Amino acid sequence: MARTRKHVNIDEEIEKTEALVLKRKEMYDKAVEALKDLREKKEQANQEALLAAVANSKHSYEDIMAYIQSDPEDTDFE
């Protein structure tokens, strides 16, 4: 009879652990989604800042495009 009780306890522990795993997975999935949303917002803010900088720049569109498309080793930052 002792084996039956241990078996029941193990089944209960399995159920509790499965429930805990599901709960934590939901929390993990929500955290991953929040992180994804924050990264998208940051990227959008970076794009808006870049567009604003280009719009307010004294350089021409052609100059900016040439700089962006150039090799970083070929440019002089001094």
Side-chain angles (χ1 to χ4, degrees):
M1 293 281 171
R3 287 184 181 252
T4 305
R5 181 165 171 85
K6 282 185 180 180
H7 184 68
V8 171
N9 286 341
I10 290 173
D11 287 340
E12 289 174 1
E13 286 297 318
I14 289 171
E15 288 177 19
K16 287 179 187 178
T17 305
E18 285 175 342
L20 180 63
V21 167
L22 289 175
K23 182 177 178 182
R24 293 210 175 140
K25 184 182 181 309
E26 288 175 9
M27 291 174 56
Y28 170 81
D29 290 343
K30 287 180 184 178
V32 168
E33 190 64 32
L35 180 59
K36 180 182 170 188
D37 290 344
L38 289 170
R39 286 184 174 160
E40 287 175 0
K41 287 179 183 179
K42 181 179 179 183
E43 181 63 26
Q44 183 179 3
N46 287 344
Q47 289 176 3
E48 290 172 2
L50 180 60
L51 288 174
V54 168
N56 295 328
S57 175
K58 295 178 183 177
H59 298 281
S60 70
Y61 172 81
E62 290 78 16
D63 291 341
I64 294 170
M65 289 302 294
Y67 175 76
I68 291 172
Q69 294 172 345
S70 67
D71 186 355
E73 295 179 5
D74 293 342
T75 58
D76 187 16
F77 290 108
E78 297 177 329

